[in-house]
Amino acid sequence: MPTSRVLDFDDRFVPVQSSTTRFVTVDREAVLLDGHGRVYRLNPTGAILWACFDGTGSLGEIAQDVSDELGVPYAGVLAEVQWQVKPREHL
């Protein structure tokens, strides 16, 4: 039986965009094309988060910035940011 590797995406995790993924903005949304030819559509929030995944800030720092800017609770933003970085099957 195959096993899957579970990664810990806690608030200290520093996300970095894949060098093989192409990113194009369309209006306020974005489209990603990964190195395997899969296409992902990001809503405006996802597009902002993707732009923040530059290897300089942790998920906690990114979530705090978004929380402060939008005036929404940090815990909810952190949960959303963590969900955005989790690997998933084809969308």
Side-chain angles (χ1 to χ4, degrees):
M1 176 183 268
T3 60
S4 62
R5 184 173 163 215
V6 177
L7 300 174
D8 186 16
F9 296 105
D10 67 9
D11 62 337
R12 297 168 294 171
F13 179 79
V14 178
V16 179
Q17 298 172 5
S18 169
S19 62
T20 62
T21 300
R22 301 294 173 243
F23 174 70
V24 177
T25 56
V26 180
D27 293 322
R28 295 177 359 158
E29 297 182 345
V31 176
L32 301 177
L33 175 63
D34 73 11
H36 302 285
R38 293 180 293 231
V39 176
Y40 303 90
R41 180 177 163 250
L42 302 179
N43 64 21
T45 303
I48 291 168
L49 292 177
W50 180 260
C52 292
F53 297 164
D54 60 5
T56 63
S58 69
L59 294 182
E61 292 167 334
I62 293 167
Q64 189 64 62
D65 289 346
V66 171
S67 173
D68 291 346
E69 186 66 29
L70 300 179
V72 295
Y74 169 80
V77 174
L78 180 60
E80 179 66 23
V81 172
Q82 288 171 318
W83 183 85
Q84 290 287 338
V85 299
K86 287 186 179 181
R88 40 182 97 56
E89 294 299 318
H90 301 259
L91 298 176

